[in-house]
Each structure stands twice: as C-alpha cells, then as structure tokens.
Amino acid sequence: MTEEGKYSSDYQCTLPPDLIQKAERELNEKAEWRSRDIQALRDMVNKNKDLHVRTDDAFLLRFLRAKKFEYDRAYNLLVSHFQMKKENPKLFENLRPSAVKHVLEAGVTGVLPHRDKEGRRVIIFRPGLWDPSRFPIDDVFRTNLLTLSKIIQDEVTQVNGLIMVTDLNGIGWAHAKNMSPLYAKRVTSLLQDAFPARFKGLHYLNEPAVFDYIFAIVKQFMKEKTVSRLHFHGKNVQELTEFIDPEYLPEEYGGKAPPFSNKDWMEELLKCDAEFDDEAKYGLVSGSSVDQKPGQDAMECVMGSYRKLSVD
C-alpha cells in the first residue's frame, strides 16, 4: 500500500463503460476495489514459495474475473493452471506457435474475426481436418491451448467470455481411437478447472455416428455446468445464427460471410513465439496442489471400458 493508504497498481482499464458496468454486475468487479483485490491475490501467490509465476496486475486479473473476484477460487484456479503445466511436461515443452505450425496450416483451429451477439470471441475447431497419421493429438491440444492463451489476454473477452464451435465433419474411427479417457480428462480439466476464461457455450456441428462413442468418454469428466452449455446442432448449422450474426458467420455454417479460413489467425499467432517463450519461464516448482476435482474418479471405470472396446 502507498502512504495514502491506497493500493498501487500498474493496471490501466481498457474496458468501455458498458463492460465496466457488466463486470461489476456479473463478476463483482468494482473499479474502486480492483487494486485491493489484485493485491490480495498477489499476497496469496507470494506466500506460496513453490509458485514461480507472473504477479503483474493484468495476469492476476484474468483469474479474478474468471472466478468472480472470489480470492480463494481465483487462487486455486491459478494453482491448477500451473499444476497442469507441471503434470504434463511434454505438452508444455517448446510450447510456441511455430512448433504447431503444421496444425494451423491444416486449418484445425482458428478464431472468427468478429464476436458473437453477446460480444464473445468465437473459436472454430475442425478436428476432422486433423490427420492422425501425420501428427499426434497432443499437437492439436497444444494448438488449442495456445489459441486460448492468446485470446484471453483481451479484457473484453475476459468479461464477455468465449464460445467454441466444433465442426465434426470428417471425424471417423481413426480420430476416435486417439480420444482416450486420459486425453478426454486432460481437455475437460483444462476447460473447467485450469484455465482463466468464461466458457459460455460449446457448439457441435455435423456430429457423425462415432461421436456418440467419443462423447460418452468426454461426458464422464464434465461438470453439470459445462453440460448445460452444450449445444448439438447436427446438420442444422442454421441454428448458429441464433448466437452469431449471419453477417459474420461463414456461409458453410448458415451465414453470409465467406468460407471460414484460419489464415489470419495463424499469421497473428505465429508472431508470438517470443511471448510464449517468456511464459515458459514460469511454473509450479514442487509440491503444491489443490483438491481433486469432482468426477476425476470416474477415470478408472471409463478406462476399463475403453480398453475393451475395439474400434478397428
């Protein structure tokens, strides 16, 4: 604190007035308390000697907003985030956009240039464009993690949240065989318990018959709140216009915009190697953990079923 009794801060709010009001209404974020709240989380982080992480205002604010400014929940989310990094060292080794350029070039992951009707960023995920014979599913995970990490830097996205549209066109058994319970657990744990973002909707399009098998695995690890935000559209892509303005929605998804391309997003992300190299310096040194998340003990029963299932 300064001599005047106020908390010092390097943060400069870039939110427009309407989103400042929304943040106060939905996230319990008050401008006059913001510096105090950031410092409270910083104090919690600094007390944990196993945490070697960023403590600048902008970084800590992501976690506070994701957990509606509840200190304990924001702190546990931060620890979970770095615990995932520590428990999956191979995933985070050389975690930089240029290392997954081949995934981006395949068009698997991208982001719409315009937000949806609620001001949320829209990730377009097309796993059917992934060729399992060319690169492993871990590369797909890494690409999505890099994408999420980049877009969550934006304050508007921190407040409004994001949605993911998963186009399952082209998905077959070759893909399903790579969707092990371990991978399903990793993905859902990231989305639900280890990433500072407000996921407001998960939309599925063009679900093939094999999707029932994949979803049966993934759902074991989903919380009720996550399940409530799932939308299954099948071939009725026109339903997406309820969420995304047709003017900005690609034509293959029922909109008026040109066919979707992730070229612009790929070019933007590939400029960020140095940024992610810097992030790689931070992590959980040893020891610290948070409580086991609900649903994780379903892992063994699903793993047993998965091993018995033939998908050849």
Side-chain angles (χ1 to χ4, degrees), residues 4-66:
E4 292 81 9
K6 295 182 179 180
Y7 292 89
S8 61
S9 173
D10 59 16
Y11 170 74
Q12 297 293 323
C13 184
T14 61
L15 295 172
D18 62 320
L19 286 187
I20 291 176
Q21 294 176 4
K22 181 177 182 178
E24 180 171 347
R25 184 174 63 252
E26 296 185 9
L27 306 181
N28 303 313
E29 177 177 350
K30 294 183 182 294
E32 64 270 26
W33 295 351
R34 191 187 290 122
S35 295
R36 178 206 66 180
D37 295 337
I38 293 172
Q39 187 60 46
L41 179 56
R42 182 181 292 117
D43 290 343
M44 296 174 77
V45 170
N46 287 337
K47 286 179 182 178
N48 187 337
K49 302 306 179 184
D50 291 329
L51 280 172
H52 173 60
V53 302
R54 286 173 55 186
T55 57
D56 57 278
D57 289 6
F59 183 74
L60 295 178
L61 195 51
R62 300 175 199 175
F63 294 88
L64 286 166
R65 284 174 171 157

Side-chain angles (χ1 to χ4, degrees), residues 130 132 137 171-181 183 210 213-214 217 306 309-312:
W130 160 52
I137 196 170
I171 287 289
W173 283 115
H175 301 89
K177 286 190 287 187
N178 287 272
M179 182 58 72
S180 69
Y183 180 77
V210 71
Y213 157 74
I214 297 172
I217 295 174
Y306 175 78
L309 183 63
S310 172
V311 290
D312 293 325

Side-chain angles (χ1 to χ4, degrees), residues 245-297:
D245 193 312
E247 181 182 352
Y248 304 130
L249 192 63
E251 61 182 31
E252 66 266 40
Y253 300 133
K256 301 175 182 178
F260 177 70
S261 168
N262 74 332
K263 183 175 182 293
D264 289 344
W265 177 250
M266 176 174 66
E267 291 177 354
E268 179 180 346
L269 199 58
L270 286 173
K271 297 174 183 176
C272 301
D273 271 7
E275 179 183 311
F276 283 101
D277 288 346
D278 187 64
E279 291 288 340
K281 299 185 302 186
Y282 302 103
L284 188 62
V285 179
S286 64
S288 294
S289 64
V290 292
D291 293 337
Q292 185 183 40
K293 308 299 184 299
Q296 286 185 359
D297 50 357

Side-chain angles (χ1 to χ4, degrees), residues 67-78:
K67 294 301 181 183
K68 299 184 177 181
F69 278 74
E70 295 181 25
Y71 302 159
D72 287 345
R73 294 178 66 217
Y75 172 75
N76 280 346
L77 176 62
L78 186 147

Side-chain angles (χ1 to χ4, degrees), residues 183-238:
Y183 180 77
K185 177 189 174 190
R186 181 186 293 161
V187 172
T188 53
S189 292
L190 172 71
L191 297 179
Q192 297 177 140
D193 306 311
F195 197 82
R198 306 181 72 205
F199 292 93
K200 308 300 290 185
L202 300 169
H203 297 261
Y204 293 94
L205 305 173
N206 301 310
E207 305 96 302
V210 71
F211 179 70
D212 291 341
Y213 157 74
I214 297 172
F215 186 66
I217 295 174
V218 175
K219 190 177 180 181
Q220 296 287 331
F221 308 106
M222 286 185 173
K223 294 178 179 178
E224 185 176 340
K225 184 177 180 180
T226 303
V227 173
S228 72
R229 291 177 174 168
L230 299 178
H231 304 269
F232 301 96
H233 303 288
K235 299 294 183 182
N236 191 7
V237 296
Q238 199 73 28

